[in-house]
Amino acid sequence: MNSAPLSGLYAPSLSLLTDLYQVTMAYGYWQQGMQDREAVFHLYFRRPPFDGGYAVCAGLAYAADWLQNLHFSADDLAYLGSLKSAKGGVLFPQDFLDYLRDLKFTCDVDAIAEGTVVFANEPLIRVQGPLLQAQLIETALLTLVNFQTLVATKAVRIREAAGDDTVLEFGLRRAQGFDGGLSASRAAYLGGVDATSNVLAGQRFNIPVKGTHAHSWVMAFKDEAEAFTAYAKAFPDDSVFLVDTYDTLEGVRNAIKVAREMRANGHELGGIRLDSGDLAYLSREARALLNEAGFPNVRIVASNDLEENLITSLKLQGAKIDTWGIGTQLVTAYDQPALGGVYKMAALRKPDDSGWDFTIKLSEQLAKTSIPGILQVRRYENEKGQPRADMLYNTAEPLPDQLTIIDPSDYTRRRPVRADAPYRELLEPIFRGGELVHQLPTLQESRARAQREVLSLDPSIRRFLNPHTYPVGLEESLNTFRTNLILEKRPLRPA
Amino acid sequence: MNSAPLSGLYAPSLSLLTDLYQVTMAYGYWQQGMQDREAVFHLYFRRPPFDGGYAVCAGLAYAADWLQNLHFSADDLAYLGSLKSAKGGVLFPQDFLDYLRDLKFTCDVDAIAEGTVVFANEPLIRVQGPLLQAQLIETALLTLVNFQTLVATKAVRIREAAGDDTVLEFGLRRAQGFDGGLSASRAAYLGGVDATSNVLAGQRFNIPVKGTHAHSWVMAFKDEAEAFTAYAKAFPDDSVFLVDTYDTLEGVRNAIKVAREMRANGHELGGIRLDSGDLAYLSREARALLNEAGFPNVRIVASNDLEENLITSLKLQGAKIDTWGIGTQLVTAYDQPALGGVYKMAALRKPDDSGWDFTIKLSEQLAKTSIPGILQVRRYENEKGQPRADMLYNTAEPLPDQLTIIDPSDYTRRRPVRADAPYRELLEPIFRGGELVHQLPTLQESRARAQREVLSLDPSIRRFLNPHTYPVGLEESLNTFRTNLILEKRPLRPA
């Protein structure tokens, strides 16, 4: 088992991809007869990543796939049955394992489409259904959505910095595990990169794949020019030569020599790649050499720990780079390698089924206190379809006629809503009664959505440094309800 | 396909888990008739992670599994056959795809055992075999070894800070993809954590699994005490109560109330968990409350973005914490989320098979220039088995009688080796002719090795801030050979 950790790992079941406490709580709810009490949970984050003004959500297709296949296999149950309590007895009795064996996922799931621009506190996913099930799926949903949202957002930022240049993702070798690489390639493409080096991602997700060659290719030949000639023979119309194995500008000269031979045979060199050194200086020198030699169309590809701020800086320095190869910084979201998404209970049917108890998790900081209710996100847009403000409201309560949006971290900031303001509701039905009821978009469709959505944001929200805060608030009656609930739950300590 | 990204993903083949350029280079070598030229590659890193003094290597079991299953399935080949060149023709001709279909892995692989302490520039894996194959496996080896080595090293550091306290890993929800979580749980256990919350990791790798309950458990009941009572009913001998849903110290008082009821029924509360707020203050207050109430053995578990420096700080502040729950910071290696491991060609048989050409990749910095040869790592130890210095040498050349170790980044630093100095050779045979010839240790054995190895290091090398640099150098004749090769390859530019 230890010596073959990959083999057959993901068949037949990924249902144990969870924290043990989900299973212990499931047992507790089952023992209390609470397993079918209807509950509502929201998945959301509290701050956009990278000190940015927004995120682009991603990962829903993975989450939906996981939910569709949720079941406990005989192996899963045998393992759970083998767990021991501190006193040596079984942790889970057989009748509970029998219950898990027969468990079918029956929740309703609403979610915001992949590629949508989202902000702090907005539920990306809302789960409504039997308490035991709605709790059980927490960890997998967070794992699958947190990371892809993080990488998609990073990719959007890199795309923003690169403008119309080509952006390639080739981070697999530095990714966090093979799915760290695979799902990063997916999310990066969703966020706007043009292609990946990851062949498995190309195959699975229909992402264009690109590649050049390694330093070792050059080292395998007598000299650099011979290596380039051999590569051009293999790929006469798709060659990009890596020129820095020994000396970058000598490499450019060798590339030009071989490009001339190629041209004599009716082919054109595609590009050269710089992978080290001062990219601003070297790209300008390389461009000048190529232009002088009659190769103004040979593209210059650059790589070496690039990210949005370095791209911006290189452009300001007049670097002559046409294609940006992005690896580690993108696929690990290096400057913030985790999105702090959380999954909080927000409503629970009363034991006598007479209505809802709306629930809250307190915190010393108001911003970290959860939001009760069965929430929907309403996005108000102007006539051009540009987002103006988002309002979270409780769908389980009637809305007042005059709507006002209150900033949850500063109740003095309030924004009345015009009665005729156009809007759209972001959460849409994905599962009903455990059945997938939504035609999930293709990755290419989600990618197009991301590009459209990001461009509709005001540049002040998109900028990297100290972006403007997009207004997201609670509908006034929800804010009042939440405030009262906090006061009710928090102990009063005399000063 | 897009709508079911997980289903059946990892059967039957993970062989496309690579960069496209590995396949394009393979085609180029095959076209040149160079596919079977014998080559040697080394996988190594240039700097220990986290500004530390060492790393603990991990991931070899994954890599060996991947190599054992390396083959191109019909689906893989169909995908590669579908790729188009810029001009619209096929990228790879059918006879090359036929070659890939019949390809069998036949390389020799030597590697350093998982759990071994390793340093910059030391080959963790050495691959010797047909050029095409030895190149093709680069990306997967890097992906599988880079990340697990990173996390194992982070876990060792956290273990060092925690001393004899219990350390739990529960980072799955913030991990980078599901294998980012799964392989992190494996590597964290290898590095010394005591248990994981990740049930799949528990099942696959026989790691102890642990868990408490979430805030939502408390929110699902009328009040906190009722929630604790219900949990204690489910797990009378395994309960740890999360006390900060509404107010931490009120939570501790409720825990004590329920602990008294439990004791009346013959059970003892296992612990309480603090997940927010000032952990130094709250743990001391909680400890005092528990002790006063007659519960000195109730453990205090703390979590909330902890890592080795915070643990050290909390201990210095007199925090009363028995068990450390570590999530995001460990499984994403938050402060350095990628290890920059590389895979460089170091030797290639001469075309006429008359011997080896030793190969080098230059860089502006000497420290980033590769090391030629067919390397072995010899570790000199003192009589207590403590490492004293490591020597890299070229096994393809005879060793001189008097050995001297030269620092590769400062040739004036040299260390003669006593003729009778005891040593061990770190790279051991794993594959011969493509067949696994090594009984890979269990994860538990690798974990024991890691603990033993780390403890054998001098504390000055283990410390977090500005650690002492452990001496790793090149055997003198190798250093001389490398220096000459650099001078030969680097163009001379007149000043």
Side-chain angles (χ1 to χ4, degrees):
Chain A
M1 177 191 289
N2 282 328
S3 62
L6 292 174
S7 300
L9 183 49
Y10 297 101
S13 166
L14 263 181
S15 298
L16 294 188
L17 186 77
T18 190
D19 292 306
L20 182 66
Y21 83 0
Q22 310 294 2
V23 190
T24 62
M25 285 191 282
Y27 172 58
Y29 288 136
W30 176 82
Q31 190 190 47
Q32 295 285 327
M34 293 166 68
Q35 69 273 18
D36 290 328
R37 284 270 292 283
E38 194 176 9
V40 176
F41 286 79
H42 299 123
L43 186 155
Y44 61 98
F45 59 83
R46 297 187 188 113
R47 248 180 29 171
F50 318 119
D51 293 325
Y54 65 94
V56 168
C57 68
L60 179 60
Y62 265 65
D65 186 15
W66 189 86
L67 291 172
Q68 278 193 285
N69 290 289
L70 180 62
H71 74 287
F72 290 93
S73 71
D75 279 352
D76 297 342
L77 296 168
Y79 175 69
L80 294 175
S82 76
L83 297 177
K84 296 281 183 281
S85 86
K87 289 256 177 93
V90 297
L91 197 62
F92 302 113
Q94 185 59 45
D95 47 356
F96 174 65
L97 298 177
D98 292 345
Y99 172 83
L100 288 185
R101 183 194 62 212
D102 299 333
L103 186 68
K104 289 218 178 328
F105 182 65
T106 61
C107 292
D108 293 349
V109 178
D110 293 71
I112 298 180
E114 289 191 282
T116 305
V117 163
V118 288
F119 303 95
N121 297 311
E122 297 183 342
L124 310 187
I125 299 181
R126 185 183 78 212
V127 177
Q128 178 167 347
L131 174 58
L132 181 151
Q133 297 178 36
Q135 176 69 62
L136 187 66
I137 64 180
E138 173 185 25
T139 307
L141 293 188
L142 285 170
T143 303
L144 300 174
V145 170
N146 266 334
F147 178 57
Q148 292 200 44
T149 298
L150 186 73
V151 172
T153 306
K154 189 71 176 173
V156 164
R157 293 164 65 88
I158 287 168
R159 160 55 63 208
E160 177 105 24
D164 293 331
D165 300 344
T166 301
V167 179
L168 310 178
E169 173 272 305
F170 43 59
L172 176 58
R173 65 188 55 199
R174 302 280 166 78
Q176 298 206 342
F178 60 88
D179 182 60
L182 190 66
S183 55
S185 294
R186 179 186 187 277
Y189 185 66
L190 194 155
V193 310
D194 295 289
T196 181
S197 69
N198 183 335
V199 186
L200 191 61
Q203 181 200 36
R204 292 289 303 178
F205 304 126
N206 197 23
I207 302 174
V209 287
K210 295 279 180 202
T212 60
H213 62 78
H215 296 116
S216 53
W217 174 270
V218 174
M219 292 152 71
F221 291 84
K222 182 170 63 51
D223 59 36
E224 197 172 43
E226 190 183 288
F228 291 164
T229 301
Y231 200 77
K233 183 181 172 202
F235 301 100
D237 304 306
D238 300 86
S239 277
V240 174
F241 298 151
L242 177 60
V243 294
D244 73 332
T245 304
Y246 303 122
D247 180 88
T248 300
L249 295 178
E250 279 304 307
V252 176
R253 291 188 188 96
N254 282 323
I256 288 170
K257 199 169 97 182
V258 177
R260 290 203 176 104
E261 297 165 11
M262 294 170 71
R263 184 172 283 174
N265 294 319
H267 300 291
E268 288 294 320
L269 175 62
I272 62 164
R273 177 156 76 98
L274 313 174
D275 189 39
S276 60
D278 186 320
L279 296 176
Y281 167 76
L282 291 172
S283 68
R284 286 196 307 263
E285 294 291 311
R287 184 77 274 157
L289 290 171
L290 288 163
N291 288 1
E292 279 166 31
F295 294 99
N297 294 323
V298 168
R299 298 170 67 82
I300 297 179
V301 184
S303 51
N304 195 12
D305 274 338
L306 297 174
E307 35 73 10
E308 63 270 36
N309 295 307
L310 269 173
I311 293 171
T312 304
S313 166
L314 283 165
K315 282 177 168 275
L316 284 171
Q317 294 171 70
K320 299 294 186 188
I321 293 166
D322 307 290
T323 298
W324 305 87
I326 318 284
T328 316
Q329 297 281 335
L330 172 54
V331 303
T332 66
Y334 201 89
D335 54 328
Q336 187 194 318
L339 180 71
V342 297
Y343 184 82
K344 294 292 174 194
M345 187 194 285
L348 188 66
R349 280 270 176 210
K350 289 181 190 296
D352 63 3
D353 203 25
S354 65
W356 292 99
D357 280 326
F358 298 112
T359 57
I360 199 162
K361 155 75 178 84
L362 297 189
S363 166
E364 299 297 317
Q365 301 146 268
L366 190 55
K368 289 183 80 171
T369 298
S370 70
I371 300 169
I374 303 174
L375 301 182
Q376 176 58 278
V377 184
R378 184 174 286 188
R379 176 159 297 169
Y380 291 97
E381 299 177 325
N382 67 13
E383 57 291 345
K384 292 185 199 150
Q386 294 171 315
R388 305 294 300 159
D390 288 5
M391 178 181 82
L392 277 58
Y393 68 96
N394 185 358
T395 61
E397 299 287 345
L399 278 177
D401 289 339
Q402 172 56 48
L403 296 173
T404 302
I405 305 176
I406 315 278
D407 183 334
S409 54
D410 177 358
Y411 70 95
T412 65
R413 296 173 67 96
R414 40 187 63 215
R415 181 180 296 256
V417 178
R418 281 201 318 274
D420 60 346
Y423 64 82
R424 56 191 170 113
E425 311 267 51
L426 297 190
L427 286 160
E428 48 190 15
I430 309 295
F431 286 83
R432 282 297 174 265
E435 295 294 320
L436 188 70
V437 296
H438 186 82
Q439 172 72 47
L440 290 167
T442 66
L443 179 59
Q444 286 67 24
E445 289 165 345
S446 297
R447 181 171 186 270
R449 179 193 293 267
Q451 295 186 327
R452 208 166 55 231
E453 291 247 340
V454 171
L455 287 178
S456 76
L457 282 184
D458 192 86
S460 67
I461 296 163
R462 279 148 54 193
R463 72 172 172 241
F464 302 148
L465 195 63
N466 295 331
H468 189 71
T469 301
Y470 177 85
V472 176
L474 307 190
E475 184 276 317
E476 185 170 23
S477 66
L478 172 61
N479 189 64
T480 304
F481 176 79
R482 177 179 184 240
T483 305
N484 291 335
L485 197 58
I486 294 169
L487 293 171
E488 176 192 321
K489 291 284 182 185
R490 180 171 288 158
L492 290 174
R493 289 219 178 79
Chain B
M1 179 190 290
N2 281 328
S3 63
L6 291 176
S7 299
L9 183 50
Y10 297 101
S13 165
L14 263 180
S15 299
L16 294 189
L17 186 79
T18 190
D19 292 306
L20 183 65
Y21 83 0
Q22 311 294 2
V23 190
T24 61
M25 286 191 280
Y27 172 56
Y29 288 135
W30 175 82
Q31 191 191 46
Q32 295 285 329
M34 293 166 68
Q35 68 273 16
D36 290 327
R37 284 270 291 283
E38 194 175 7
V40 176
F41 286 79
H42 298 124
L43 187 156
Y44 60 99
F45 59 84
R46 299 188 188 112
R47 247 181 28 171
F50 317 119
D51 294 324
Y54 64 94
V56 168
C57 68
L60 178 61
Y62 266 63
D65 186 14
W66 189 86
L67 291 173
Q68 279 193 284
N69 289 287
L70 180 62
H71 73 285
F72 289 93
S73 71
D75 280 354
D76 297 341
L77 296 168
Y79 176 69
L80 293 176
S82 76
L83 296 177
K84 296 281 183 282
S85 84
K87 289 253 176 97
V90 296
L91 197 60
F92 302 113
Q94 186 58 45
D95 47 355
F96 174 65
L97 298 177
D98 291 345
Y99 171 83
L100 288 186
R101 183 195 61 215
D102 298 333
L103 186 67
K104 288 216 183 326
F105 181 65
T106 60
C107 292
D108 293 349
V109 178
D110 292 71
I112 299 180
E114 290 191 283
T116 304
V117 163
V118 288
F119 303 96
N121 297 312
E122 298 183 340
L124 310 187
I125 298 181
R126 184 182 77 209
V127 177
Q128 177 166 348
L131 174 59
L132 182 150
Q133 298 179 35
Q135 176 70 62
L136 188 66
I137 64 180
E138 173 184 28
T139 307
L141 293 188
L142 285 170
T143 303
L144 300 173
V145 170
N146 266 334
F147 178 55
Q148 292 199 43
T149 299
L150 186 73
V151 173
T153 306
K154 189 73 177 170
V156 164
R157 293 164 64 89
I158 288 168
R159 160 56 61 209
E160 175 106 25
D164 293 331
D165 300 344
T166 301
V167 179
L168 310 177
E169 174 271 307
F170 43 59
L172 177 57
R173 64 188 56 199
R174 302 280 167 79
Q176 298 208 341
F178 59 89
D179 182 61
L182 190 66
S183 55
S185 294
R186 179 184 186 277
Y189 185 64
L190 193 156
V193 309
D194 296 289
T196 180
S197 69
N198 183 335
V199 186
L200 192 59
Q203 181 201 35
R204 293 288 304 178
F205 304 126
N206 197 24
I207 303 174
V209 287
K210 294 281 181 202
T212 59
H213 62 76
H215 296 116
S216 54
W217 174 270
V218 173
M219 292 151 72
F221 290 83
K222 184 170 63 51
D223 59 36
E224 196 173 46
E226 191 182 286
F228 291 164
T229 301
Y231 200 77
K233 185 180 171 203
F235 301 100
D237 304 306
D238 300 87
S239 277
V240 175
F241 298 151
L242 177 60
V243 294
D244 73 332
T245 305
Y246 303 122
D247 181 89
T248 299
L249 295 178
E250 279 305 306
V252 175
R253 290 187 187 96
N254 282 322
I256 288 170
K257 202 169 96 182
V258 176
R260 290 202 174 101
E261 298 165 12
M262 293 170 71
R263 183 171 283 175
N265 294 316
H267 301 292
E268 288 294 321
L269 175 61
I272 62 164
R273 176 156 76 100
L274 312 174
D275 189 39
S276 60
D278 186 319
L279 296 176
Y281 167 76
L282 291 171
S283 68
R284 286 196 306 262
E285 293 292 311
R287 183 76 274 158
L289 289 171
L290 287 163
N291 288 0
E292 278 166 34
F295 295 99
N297 294 323
V298 167
R299 299 170 66 82
I300 297 180
V301 184
S303 51
N304 196 13
D305 274 338
L306 297 175
E307 34 72 11
E308 63 270 36
N309 295 306
L310 270 172
I311 293 172
T312 304
S313 166
L314 283 164
K315 283 179 168 273
L316 282 171
Q317 293 171 69
K320 299 293 186 188
I321 293 166
D322 307 289
T323 297
W324 305 87
I326 318 284
T328 314
Q329 297 282 336
L330 173 54
V331 303
T332 68
Y334 201 89
D335 54 328
Q336 187 193 318
L339 180 70
V342 296
Y343 184 82
K344 294 292 175 195
M345 185 195 285
L348 188 65
R349 280 266 177 214
K350 290 182 190 296
D352 63 3
D353 203 23
S354 65
W356 291 100
D357 279 326
F358 298 112
T359 57
I360 198 161
K361 155 77 179 82
L362 297 188
S363 166
E364 299 299 316
Q365 301 145 271
L366 190 57
K368 289 183 80 171
T369 297
S370 70
I371 300 169
I374 303 174
L375 303 182
Q376 175 59 279
V377 183
R378 183 175 287 188
R379 176 159 296 168
Y380 291 96
E381 298 178 324
N382 68 13
E383 59 290 347
K384 291 184 198 152
Q386 293 172 317
R388 305 295 299 160
D390 288 6
M391 178 181 81
L392 277 58
Y393 68 97
N394 185 358
T395 61
E397 300 285 345
L399 277 178
D401 288 338
Q402 172 55 49
L403 296 172
T404 303
I405 306 176
I406 315 279
D407 183 334
S409 55
D410 178 356
Y411 70 95
T412 64
R413 294 174 68 95
R414 41 186 63 216
R415 182 181 296 257
V417 178
R418 281 203 318 273
D420 61 345
Y423 65 83
R424 57 194 169 111
E425 311 267 51
L426 296 190
L427 286 160
E428 49 190 13
I430 310 296
F431 286 83
R432 283 295 174 265
E435 295 295 320
L436 188 70
V437 295
H438 185 82
Q439 171 75 44
L440 290 167
T442 65
L443 179 60
Q444 286 67 24
E445 288 165 346
S446 298
R447 182 173 186 268
R449 178 192 293 268
Q451 295 185 328
R452 205 165 59 230
E453 291 249 340
V454 171
L455 287 178
S456 76
L457 282 184
D458 192 86
S460 67
I461 296 163
R462 279 150 53 193
R463 71 171 174 243
F464 303 149
L465 196 62
N466 295 332
H468 189 71
T469 301
Y470 177 85
V472 176
L474 307 190
E475 185 276 317
E476 186 170 21
S477 65
L478 172 61
N479 189 64
T480 304
F481 176 79
R482 178 179 184 239
T483 305
N484 291 336
L485 197 57
I486 295 170
L487 293 171
E488 174 191 325
K489 291 284 183 185
R490 180 173 286 157
L492 290 176
R493 290 219 179 78

